[in-house]
């Protein structure tokens, strides 16, 4: 018997399944009435081990607009915070709700939860990946510039969890990804090796100018994520990876700027770029809602 329809990472899916979710998201966004009964009577539990604005709000509103409801908890409100195991928590929640979205400090927690759950589990970010974000990003790119397949996308800065999901997306959607990262801040070698084994066009380099040259999108993220304690060191290491007007000038004429937010203005991106005409960041944030709906529908329909 097939197990629950989890949404844990992009590389678990084939390109067709991910494409179908993007198309569904676009259709839901275009609908004259964004309310539906697609998930009427269904309940999503959301567990946040880390803070969130976009993921929390977009999943909550997505469920409500599709006729469902949400239970929102932090581990400290559950017996999980007092030592009940992750697996036992998953088994119990599986008896109450229809799906769980988890933002876990460690990917292993999410994987343990999903292995024990008999309902779909959705990855709302871990230290390793952020697949829901990159689904919204691909949707946003295509709204602005058309099909992403065959296009060149540049990532500059930390080879972090979001960058890893971009690598997965590059392989599954068939675009070129150039990642400019300082030494020791590249995505894990195992992820790049996987991309190459799958025939992906993914390259890691040191120079941001080389990555950005002629690219259709310039993407970055914070240099100091929620689990980092070495912020001062990071600000020095990443300074030359900042997305500013000088760097954007190296990209394609119609290139867009993307950032999953929250942004740290004056660090990874200047005000001029994030507030400028090439910035797609507010559309990315909005598209979290529409992409979330398609992911929930995939898991629960
Ligand atoms: N981009 C993103 O996941 O935002 P939140 O941390 O606010 O959810």
């Amino acid at each position: 018997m097939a197990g629950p329809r989890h949404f844990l990472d992009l590389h678990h899916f084939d390109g067709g399944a991910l494409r179908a979710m993007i198309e569904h998201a676009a259709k839901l966004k275009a609908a004259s009435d964004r309310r539906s009964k697609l998930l009427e009577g269904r309940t999503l539990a959301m567990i946040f081990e880390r803070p969130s604005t976009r993921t929390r709000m977009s999943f909550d509103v997505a469920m409500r607009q599709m006729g469902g409801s949400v239970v929102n908890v932090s581990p400290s409100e559950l017996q999980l915070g007092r030592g009940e195991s992750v697996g036992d928590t998953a088994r119990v929640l599986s008896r109450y709700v229809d799906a769980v979205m988890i933002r876990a400090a460690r990917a292993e927690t999410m994987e343990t939860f999903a292995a024990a759950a008999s309902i779909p589990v959705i990855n709302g970010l871990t230290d390793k990946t952020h697949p829901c974000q990159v689904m919204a990003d691909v949707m946003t790119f295509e709204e602005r510039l058309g099909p992403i397949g065959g296009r060149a996308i540049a990532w500059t800065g930390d080879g972090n969890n979001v960058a890893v999901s971009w690598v997965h997306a590059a392989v599954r959607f068939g675009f070129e990804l150039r990642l400019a990262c300082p030494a020791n801040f590249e995505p894990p070698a195992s992820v790049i090796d996987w991309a190459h084994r799958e025939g992906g066009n993914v390259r890691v380099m040191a120079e941001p100018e080389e990555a950005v040259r002629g690219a259709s999108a310039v993407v970055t993220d914070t240099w100091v994520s929620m689990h980092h304690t070495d912020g001062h060191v990071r600000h020095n290491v990443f300074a030359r990876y900042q997305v500013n007007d000088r760097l954007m000038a190296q990209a394609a004429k119609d290139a867009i700027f993307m950032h999953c937010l929250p942004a740290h203005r004056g660090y990874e991106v200047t005000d001029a770029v994030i507030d400028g005409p090439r910035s797609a960041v507010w559309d990315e944030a909005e598209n979290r809602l529409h992409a979330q709906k398609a992911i929930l529908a995939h898991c629960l329909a």
Side-chain angles (χ1 to χ4, degrees):
M1 202 176 87
R5 288 164 73 95
H6 297 316
F7 187 85
L8 301 183
D9 272 312
L10 299 184
H11 67 297
H12 295 161
F13 294 89
D14 63 37
L18 295 175
R19 169 61 55 204
M21 285 184 245
I22 298 276
E23 283 172 9
H24 192 199
K27 202 167 145 193
L28 291 166
K29 182 176 182 179
S32 55
D33 185 351
R34 289 186 178 170
R35 289 162 303 176
S36 72
K37 294 186 172 176
L38 267 177
L39 299 183
E40 192 171 28
R42 305 295 192 97
T43 303
L44 175 74
M46 301 202 293
I47 301 174
F48 285 96
E49 288 190 333
R50 298 282 191 211
S52 168
T53 298
R54 283 143 287 269
T55 305
R56 182 188 305 272
M57 291 299 300
S58 57
F59 269 107
D60 194 323
V61 174
M63 282 301 290
R64 289 167 199 261
Q65 288 189 354
M66 293 196 291
S69 59
V70 174
V71 181
N72 194 349
V73 285
S74 70
S76 63
E77 294 166 305
L78 298 171
Q79 297 288 6
L80 195 55
R82 296 179 60 247
E84 186 168 15
S85 78
V86 171
D88 286 353
T89 304
R91 289 179 195 99
V92 171
L93 293 198
S94 296
R95 302 294 180 105
Y96 296 136
V97 299
D98 298 288
V100 173
M101 193 286 303
I102 183 164
R103 170 164 287 195
R106 295 174 64 248
E108 291 78 7
T109 304
M110 177 198 72
E111 285 156 9
T112 303
F113 194 101
S118 55
I119 55 171
V121 175
I122 298 170
N123 176 357
L125 179 145
T126 70
D127 57 333
K128 301 252 169 59
T129 56
H130 198 0
C132 293
Q133 177 65 52
V134 175
M135 289 294 277
D137 294 347
V138 169
M139 178 181 174
T140 305
F141 179 94
E142 296 197 331
E143 280 178 349
R144 295 282 184 119
L145 295 174
I148 199 167
R151 307 295 284 266
I153 309 295
W155 175 277
T156 173
D158 193 10
N160 65 9
N161 47 2
V162 183
V164 169
S165 285
W166 270 99
V167 172
H168 294 158
V171 174
R172 292 300 185 241
F173 288 99
F175 58 85
E176 178 187 354
L177 182 63
R178 308 174 197 150
L179 301 124
C181 309
N184 303 319
F185 293 94
E186 302 96 343
S190 58
V191 173
I192 303 303
D193 289 347
W194 169 84
H196 292 161
R197 278 199 309 277
E198 294 281 318
N201 188 356
V202 174
R203 283 186 298 140
V204 181
M205 54 200 73
E207 300 304 323
E209 291 77 11
E210 186 187 348
V212 164
R213 201 167 298 130
S216 295
V218 179
V219 192
T220 192
D221 192 9
T222 181
W223 297 336
V224 185
S225 291
M226 289 176 266
H227 54 284
H228 293 137
T229 52
D230 54 347
H232 180 68
V233 175
R234 286 175 161 262
H235 283 148
N236 291 332
V237 170
F238 286 110
R240 73 188 180 93
Y241 292 83
Q242 182 188 67
V243 183
N244 49 36
D245 284 331
R246 183 189 52 75
L247 193 65
M248 284 302 295
Q250 312 273 326
K253 251 200 180 98
D254 61 350
I256 58 172
F257 169 71
M258 304 184 79
H259 189 310
C260 64
L261 304 176
H264 299 80
R265 291 163 176 259
Y267 291 97
E268 74 270 12
V269 61
T270 60
D271 284 336
V273 169
I274 196 168
D275 294 329
R278 306 169 95 179
S279 174
V281 301
W282 313 121
D283 289 345
E284 277 180 271
E286 177 188 338
N287 285 338
R288 291 297 302 278
L289 171 63
H290 310 297
Q292 250 65 290
K293 284 184 180 176
I295 291 164
L296 287 162
H298 167 84
C299 292
L300 284 167

